[in-house]
Amino acid sequence: MITLTTERLILRPLTLDDAEAAFEWTSDERVTKYMIYSTHRSIETTKEWLRTVKSTDTAFEFGFVRRSDNKLIGSGGIRLHDDGYWEFGYNFRYDCWGMGYATEASKAMIDHVRKQFGDVQLKAECAAENAASAHVIEKCELVFKEYGEYKSYDGLKTFKSKKFVLQKH
Ligand SMILES: CC(C)(COP(=O)(O)OP(=O)(O)OC[C@H]1O[C@@H](n2cnc3c(N)ncnc32)[C@H](O)[C@@H]1OP(=O)(O)O)[C@@H](O)C(=O)NCCC(=O)NCCS
């Protein structure tokens, strides 16, 4: 069970008890707009997700808890792909945007992987129109590589994307 601590956040494993807090953003179209999952219409869907979300030795999944009020305000993860790149992602409750939390959480996840695995290669992808996410990725020092495309799990949404990488130093 891995827990990471930053100045304002605790990154810790998610549990079923997080359903109510997580449903605040999983059910919010403003948050899910560019996400690969569909907006949750019922808290049962959030519970199903929480039952299945698990970290492994090469995939770390976290809930992001704000230290000031101990509230779960987002979630994300970082995982190793077959191409040898670690990819990270995140989403946050709408009223917590614009405060630097995504950058803080992403940097902590990257540091964690570097501590465990050394000088790793990183990648991240966001919808081309998702300027805030692109900015987070750039603040983590990744650089734009190319445009791409990704589909939502249900196959109903297709997004033009921006792909970023950070090679080994
Ligand atoms: C993307 C998301 C995680 C960003 O979280 P956040 O905590 O607000 O991010 P940060 O505050 O760390 O950084 C956002 C940066 O983008 C900038 N930004 C925000 N909106 C922007 C916009 N429309 N255009 C350009 N820059 C923008 C912010 O000013 C900030 O940069 P700064 O610190 O230099 O001022 C959040 O908006 C979110 O949860 N979105 C929905 C889920 C999602 O899209 N996840 C990513 C999927 S790839």
Side-chain angles (χ1 to χ4, degrees):
M1 295 287 240
I2 293 152
T3 297
L4 310 175
T5 305
T6 69
E7 195 188 332
R8 296 177 298 164
L9 299 171
I10 291 173
L11 285 65
R12 57 128 173 101
L14 288 156
T15 77
L16 202 51
D17 292 340
D18 293 321
E20 206 176 312
F23 188 60
E24 281 194 43
W25 75 80
T26 57
S27 62
D28 186 341
E29 303 268 3
R30 295 169 298 188
V31 176
T32 61
K33 185 172 177 193
Y34 301 118
M35 297 304 289
I36 205 157
Y37 67 87
S38 310
T39 309
H40 294 185
R41 303 291 172 205
S42 135
I43 197 165
E44 288 310 315
T45 311
T46 303
K47 286 183 182 170
E48 264 168 49
W49 164 61
L50 289 169
R51 277 189 202 101
T52 56
V53 64
K54 292 256 173 342
S55 289
T56 69
D57 289 346
T58 53
F60 305 104
E61 301 288 343
F62 297 103
F64 305 140
V65 175
R66 185 161 53 190
R67 292 174 64 182
S68 61
D69 58 6
N70 214 26
K71 291 263 189 312
L72 182 79
I73 59 166
S75 70
I78 186 163
R79 58 201 69 90
L80 180 62
H81 287 268
D82 291 343
D83 61 6
Y85 282 80
W86 288 83
E87 183 171 33
F88 60 96
Y90 36 69
N91 59 170
F92 280 83
R93 223 171 68 190
Y94 184 73
D95 65 324
C96 299
W97 290 11
M99 297 179 207
Y101 290 133
T103 307
E104 195 168 317
S106 299
K107 286 184 172 172
M109 294 192 292
I110 293 167
D111 280 353
H112 171 66
V113 165
R114 284 191 175 131
K115 275 191 195 129
Q116 295 246 310
F117 299 95
D119 189 13
V120 295
Q121 306 186 100
L122 297 168
K123 69 177 182 179
E125 183 172 13
C126 65
E129 358 177 290
N130 193 351
S133 187
H135 205 169
V136 171
I137 295 166
E138 283 167 345
K139 285 196 287 180
C140 292
E141 295 176 9
L142 280 72
V143 293
F144 174 74
K145 185 182 169 214
E146 62 193 0
Y147 286 100
E149 202 176 86
Y150 67 93
K151 260 191 198 317
S152 55
Y153 289 136
D154 61 13
L156 298 176
K157 299 187 282 187
T158 304
F159 300 100
K160 187 175 181 190
S161 71
K162 280 177 142 179
K163 296 180 174 194
F164 299 82
V165 293
L166 181 61
Q167 307 295 351
K168 290 185 185 190
H169 287 97

